[in-house]
């Protein structure tokens, strides 16, 4: 019913910028309540990064990226973006676009903080790798 195609990752020096894109492919009757970017660094669990409510467009970013990352969407293209600036080595990870399809009341923050989402997801995209290194 729902699939994600992430792109835009690459190798960048510390302090640099990247813009990630996620093409969301949905069925004609499928709804989701929030969408966001999660990342997984080597040897670590997935973590929420920046999320957006599909109900009102509000956004939330976790403390480690707030002020540096911005999530946005182009509803006409059904595409979600993550503009990343002032990248740091600790941002190195594979970035995934995911959606909340179960919790109808989930806010953007709820989604980014919801660890159960990781276990409910069974349609992960391939992700896009970001490497921040000098």
């Amino acid at each position: 019913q729902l699939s994600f195609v992430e792109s835009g990752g690459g190798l960048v020096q510390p302090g640099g910028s990247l813009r990630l894109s996620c093409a969301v492919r949905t069925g004609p009757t499928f709804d989701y309540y929030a969408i966001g970017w999660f990342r997984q660094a080597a040897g670590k669990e997935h973590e929420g990064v920046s999320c957006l409510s599909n109900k009102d467009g509000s956004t939330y970013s976790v403390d480690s990226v707030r002020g540096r990352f911005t999530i946005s969407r182009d509803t006409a293209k059904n595409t979600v973006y993550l503009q990343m600036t002032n990248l740091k080595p600790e941002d190195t990870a594979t970035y995934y676009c995911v959606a909340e399809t179960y919790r109808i009341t989930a806010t953007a923050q709820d989604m980014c903080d919801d660890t159960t989402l990781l276990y409910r997801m069974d349609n992960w995209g391939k992700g896009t790798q970001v490497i921040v290194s000098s």
Side-chain angles (χ1 to χ4, degrees):
Q1 290 184 292
L2 187 67
S3 63
F4 311 94
V5 181
E6 301 95 340
S7 62
L11 174 65
V12 64
Q13 294 184 342
S17 300
L18 283 173
R19 186 193 191 210
L20 308 184
S21 298
C22 171
V24 184
R25 306 181 188 276
T26 63
T29 61
F30 189 83
D31 292 323
Y32 58 91
Y33 310 115
I35 196 162
W37 289 91
F38 283 58
R39 67 187 180 186
Q40 184 179 38
K44 297 185 178 181
E45 299 180 5
H46 292 83
E47 64 170 344
V49 176
S50 189
C51 300
L52 183 152
S53 170
N54 202 41
K55 296 183 288 292
D56 59 12
S58 60
T59 62
Y60 173 82
S61 295
V62 298
D63 291 346
S64 60
V65 308
R66 191 173 301 133
R68 299 188 297 116
F69 292 8
T70 302
I71 187 172
S72 62
R73 64 180 176 180
D74 185 329
T75 56
K77 295 181 178 180
N78 208 17
T79 300
V80 182
Y81 304 97
L82 185 66
Q83 180 66 54
M84 305 184 293
T85 62
N86 192 24
L87 284 161
K88 302 176 180 180
E90 52 263 43
D91 296 319
T92 296
T94 300
Y95 285 72
Y96 299 89
C97 181
V98 299
E100 173 63 73
T101 61
Y102 180 75
R103 296 179 63 190
I104 192 171
T105 60
T107 64
Q109 182 175 355
D110 288 336
M111 180 179 181
C112 268
D113 292 345
D114 187 4
T115 58
T116 71
L117 177 64
L118 306 177
Y119 300 95
R120 292 187 278 110
M121 281 283 293
D122 63 357
N123 59 342
W124 295 92
K126 294 181 179 180
T128 185
Q129 188 174 24
V130 173
I131 301 174
V132 185
S133 176
S134 60

